[in-house]
Every structure is written in C-alpha cells, then in structure tokens.
Amino acid sequence: MTNLKTDAAYELFEGLIRGSRPHLSRAISYVENGAPGAAELLSHAYKARKGAMLTGVTGSPGVGKSTLVDGIVSELRKAGHTVGVIAVDPSSPFTGGAILGDRVRMRQGHSLDQGVFFRSLATRGHLGGLSRHTGDVVALLDAFGFDHIVIETVGAGQSEVDIMRYAHTVVVALAPGLGDDMQAIKAGILEIGDVFCVNKADLPGAERTRRDIEMMLAMREPGGWTPPVVSSVAVAGKGLEGLVGEVLRHQTYLVSSGLLRERNRGSSTAVLEEYLHLLTVGKVMESASRDGSLDAALDDLVEGKSGPMEMAERLLRRYRE
Amino acid sequence: MSGKIRVLVGKPGLDGHDRGAKVIARAYRDAGMEVIYTGLHRTPEELARMAVEEDVDVVALSILSGAHGTLIPRFVDCFRKEKGTAQLDVLVLAGGIIPEEDIPALKAAGVDEVFGPGTSTQVIVDFTRSHLKRPVA
Ligand code: B12
Ligand SMILES: Nc1nc2c(ncn2[C@@H]2O[C@H](COP(=O)(O)OP(=O)(O)O)[C@@H](O)[C@H]2O)c(=O)[nH]1
Ligand SMILES: [Mg+2]
C-alpha cells in the first residue's frame, strides 16, 4: 500500500542522498517536527551514514563558541574536508519561540561555500544543551556525506553533558573574565573535554585561566589521552590552526586506539534511549491523557492519595492492558 | 507534536540600522516562532542560502538604506535558484524605510507585503500567521 505522506518523506531521503541541499534542509524539519514519514526517512538515513567525524563545541555563553566554530570550519575546509554545522540555542520556556543567533558570527564566507551546510536548532524544551533530535540531524548530515560535523551547544554551563554522548571530540571553550569558569570546571565540564581552548587570549587574565585549567588537568588520573590546552583569539582567526590540529589528532587517536567504536556505541546508546523514551514514556503519557487516567492520577498525586511510583506502575499496567 | 514556524530575519546590504530587525525578531519569538537572525551586512546570495539551509517559512528583510529596489529582487532570484524551483514557497516580507511608490515594483518581484515605521508588531505577526505559503513541516 502506498502512503502519500510517507512517499513525500522518501522523496526527501532520495533527494538528500543525491546531494540536494533543499531536500536535506526540509528533511531536517520533518525530523524535528516528527512529521508523517519522518521515522521511515530516519531509518533510511541511519543506514546510509558514511561515518563523519563529530566535534562538539561547548562552554559558557559568550566565550566565543560561534566565532570559534566559524574558524574551525575555515580550517577544516582548508584541509579539504566538507563540514556540516549544527548550532543549538535555547527556546523560551514561556512562548516556545527562540532567537537563533549563532549565524551572526559566521563571517568567513562559508554561507556561499557548497562544502558547508549550517543549521540552527532550538532546544524546544529539551535539557542538557542540545535539541532532542540532535542525533537524528547528525544522521541526516552524515548520510548527505559531510566529512565533519561540528555541533555548538547551548552553553548553559553546568548541565552541558549531552554533547559528550554524541561527539567524538569535545572542545571545551573558556575565556578569561567570565568568572564562572571555575564554577564550570568544578561542575564537571572539565571531565568532558578532549581539547580545551582558552579563547579571548587577547584579554587580560587569559594566561591565568590557562594555568588554572592546566593545574586541574594535572590532577587527572594519568594514562590514555591527555587533553591539550590551546589558546586562541577567535575574532582575529588566531590559534585556530592549532585548535583544529589538536581536534584531528584526537580523532586519529580514537581510530588508532580503537576507542572510536566505543564512542560510537555511546552515541548509539544515547539515540536509542531517546527513542525508547519516546516509545514508552511518550506512549504511556499519550494514552493516559487520552482516556483521562492521567488527569485522575495527577489529582490523586496532588491530594496525596497515592505516591508517584505506585501511580507510574498503575499507568503502565493500564497501558499494557 | 506540532511544528514551529521558522523565520529568517535578514539585514541585506550596507545598512547599519538594526533596531527594527531586532524588534521584529523579538516579536516573532514572543509569538512562539523560531527566528534565525542573520546579523548585519548580508548579501542577497548569502540570505538566499541561509533561507534554504534553515528551511524557513518566512523571510523578513529589514532595509533602511534605500537599496531595497535592487537587494530584494536579487534575493528573490537567488532564492529561486538555490531552491531549484520557480514557485516561491516562502512568505517574503519587507520593512523599514521603503517609499510608497516603490512598493508595486517590490510586489511584482515577489514580495508579499511591506511594513513601514510605526506598524504594530501584532499586525505583522498576525499577517505572517495568516499568509504562510506552505504547511509547516
Ligand atoms: C536610529 C536611527 C539611526 C541610528 C541607528 C541605530 C541602530 N543601531 O539601528 C544611527 C544614528 C546609527 C543612524 C545612522 C544613519 N542613518 Co539613520 N536613522 C535612525 C532613525 C532616526 C530611526 C530608525 C529606528 O531605529 N527606528 C525604530 C525601529 C523600531 O523602526 P523601523 O526600523 O522603522 O522598524 C519598524 C518598521 O519599519 C517595521 N519593520 C522594519 N523592518 C522590518 C522588516 C520586516 C520584514 C517587517 C515585516 C517589518 C519591518 O517594523 C518596525 C516596527 O514598527 C531613522 C528615521 C526614522 N524615523 O525612521 C533614521 C534613518 C533611517 N537614517 C537615515 C540615514 C541617512 C542614516 C545615515 C546614513 C546618516 C549619515 N549620513 O551618517 C547613517 C547610516 C548608518 C548605517 N551604517 O547604515 C535615513 C535613511 C534615509 C533613506 N533610507 O532614504 C533615515 C530615514 C533618517 C532620514 N529621514 O533621513 N541612524
Ligand atoms: N576579545 C575577544 N572577543 C571575542 C573573541 N572571540 C569572540 N569574541 C566576542 O565574544 C562575543 C561572543 O562571541 P560568540 O561567538 O557569539 O560566543 P558564544 O555565545 O559562546 O557562541 C562576541 O562579541 C565576539 O565577537 C576573542 O578571541 N577575543
Ligand atoms: Mg553561540
């Protein structure tokens, strides 16, 4: 049986595999919105992935992530790689709207380069610094054929650990004078970095920030990959070659050490969990809200007539019947 | 799960007036839409590529430099080329300082509506919502 809506989604897949950018960009919207046929489109895309290398850039708002990404793209292009970029910004919790402003920093002419594709995503309520469909969008860009995919996270600081599950290499960007850097370090952002970049090295205090990180890194367990610390002035294009050099060196290390496969299993786990969540929690909530049992359950919870664990079990049982 | 309306708010050409663009961007965000702000000094070619890559439903161009007569038609041409279709499936709006007598030519070039100084953002948001050219994905 043919399904018109699904056919539209399949056409998008065929288009993007052919190298059509409008098809790729429409496919991303389908996936983000869960449009009819998006699941089939994705299952084709996941199978058509070509093995792009994934680099995440994270760090507090204003450290210069977007400006760095612009420079990273330039360096990767110079090295002959094609690049897909995903930049994530937060949605307003009140209106659901968003202003996605990372393109403002893209000043090096990539917007006319056929070897670069840039897409802005809003978090749409998802926590952890990425959009819920980041993994899916990565799959679409990978199937399209980009050699490298660079993801810029929201930059919420503390809870930004999602990126570690998706990227092969995580660049943690810091800058002097932001005060909260040390807090970010304490909150665990230090553990997720494969490469550290002290940006805004033109500003006072950069040396100090660099020394602080080096000291914290020195306290790590020795062995394996030792995260390097590089300095940059992203607005002036300085230090980008060194940064990208370290990123590529880390990726070579992942391949030669066999850790690449482990990281890929990690990101597959993350994607799988997203879907299991959708298929279980999403379905249970949907059916409970349809037959009114969710409403009743919430009343009972608010009035203290039952506990959340007991209620969850009851809803699950009801769903299974 | 309902899709979001996506809007590219663009500043074409050598025009440093960005207050209006920012007012429009915030109004769309507050109306629950996702706004991609391009920043100043974009060429029509760049804006067309951005509009395609971001798969926007609306392109909102703000021009106060007087160069609308060349920049906007060029944007529309570039967008058609990027998209590979003759049909314009995106709502194209313009605003800023655009004299009344220039509006017919812009509309002939593919602009759907033009809004001048003092227009309430509610009017702009309502117009946008009710004139989308395609269903949101
Ligand atoms: C503030 C201002 C400036 C500020 C800009 C600050 C900034 N960051 O934006 C400064 C002082 C820097 C400036 C400089 C100049 N300016 Co000036 N400036 C103005 C002024 C007084 C107000 C503009 C403004 O911000 N309005 C407030 C915003 C909210 O309104 P708006 O942009 O019109 O937007 C509204 C609508 O138009 C609409 N809208 C706007 N865009 C869009 C887009 C879409 C899609 C939609 C739907 C709606 C929409 O919605 C908004 C809300 O209602 C105007 C005069 C005027 N009354 O408009 C002159 C004016 C725009 N400037 C002018 C000139 C000539 C200049 C300079 C060239 C002066 C000079 N000789 O140096 C420079 C050029 C600077 C540059 N690099 O481009 C002229 C332009 C003449 C023309 N186009 O024919 C004007 C009209 C003054 C005049 N009467 O001569 N300017
Ligand atoms: N002084 C200085 N400013 C920078 C540097 N890199 C970026 N910036 C500025 O820092 C601000 C925030 O940059 P952006 O890339 O948007 O940061 P993000 O929020 O982390 O993505 C912008 O005004 C940039 O121009 C740098 O190396 N030195
Ligand atoms: Mg940014």
Side-chain angles (χ1 to χ4, degrees), chain A residues 216-240:
Chain A
M216 308 287 282
L217 287 174
M219 296 187 303
R220 284 165 35 104
E221 301 262 316
W225 171 258
T226 308
V229 184
V230 299
S231 297
S232 66
V233 184
V235 273
K238 282 191 197 146
L240 270 311

Side-chain angles (χ1 to χ4, degrees), chain A residues 60-67 105 152 199-200 202-203 233-235:
Chain A
S60 307
V63 293
K65 292 181 297 298
S66 299
T67 318
R105 310 283 172 227
E152 176 185 342
N199 189 39
K200 307 199 184 184
D202 54 321
L203 298 183
V233 184
V235 273

Side-chain angles (χ1 to χ4, degrees), chain A residues 24-57:
Chain A
L24 170 61
S25 86
R26 193 66 178 155
I28 295 174
S29 303
Y30 263 55
V31 163
E32 260 205 295
N33 293 339
E40 287 95 324
L41 166 63
L42 271 175
S43 91
H44 289 298
Y46 272 100
K47 286 176 217 149
R49 285 174 301 165
K50 300 183 176 73
M53 292 310 292
L54 258 66
T55 302
V57 179

Side-chain angles (χ1 to χ4, degrees), chain A residues 21 25 29 33 100 103 124, chain B residues 34-35 52-55 137:
Chain A
R21 304 166 72 94
S25 86
S29 303
N33 293 339
L100 312 172
R103 275 189 180 268
R124 299 192 180 178
Chain B
E34 291 181 355
V35 178
V52 170
E53 289 184 358
E54 300 288 357
D55 191 38

